[in-house]
Amino acid sequence: AIFWHVPRSAGTTMKHVITTCLGKNIATEVGETDGHHLDERLEVIQKPHGMFLNVDTTTVQGIKRAQKLGLVPSKMASVIFTPYIHE
C-alpha cells in the first residue's frame, strides 16, 4: 500500500501505529539511517520503534534507489510512505 504523506497530516502517527502497534514493515526515511543507504540489496532493518526497509521513499533520489533494489516487486513493505506519489 502507498501512504501519501502530506506534511502535518498525522503521517508520523500512522508510521508509529503501523510499525509499533501492527508490527508491519514499512518504507520511509528511517531505513537509510546508520549507513544503510550504502546497502546493495533490499533488507529489513530492526529499529527500537519498528521494522523498516533500507530505503528512503521520502526523496526522489531515494525512490529511484528503491526502484533499483526492487522494493515494490519484493512485497517486503506493507506500506510505502512518500510525499511523491507520481514518481
Side-chain angles (χ1 to χ4, degrees), residues 19-69:
T19 58
T20 306
C21 301
L22 300 178
K24 302 292 184 181
N25 299 338
I26 66 170
T28 185
E29 75 282 359
V30 176
E32 279 200 349
T33 58
D34 302 326
H36 289 290
H37 65 284
L38 301 173
D39 294 348
E40 295 183 13
R41 64 185 174 140
L42 198 58
E43 297 178 7
V44 176
I45 308 300
Q46 172 74 47
K47 298 284 185 176
H49 52 283
M51 304 288 280
F52 300 85
L53 277 291
N54 60 333
V55 293
D56 180 357
T57 54
T58 64
T59 67
V60 173
Q61 179 180 345
I63 290 170
K64 289 178 182 178
R65 180 173 174 271
Q67 183 179 16
K68 178 183 166 193
L69 295 177

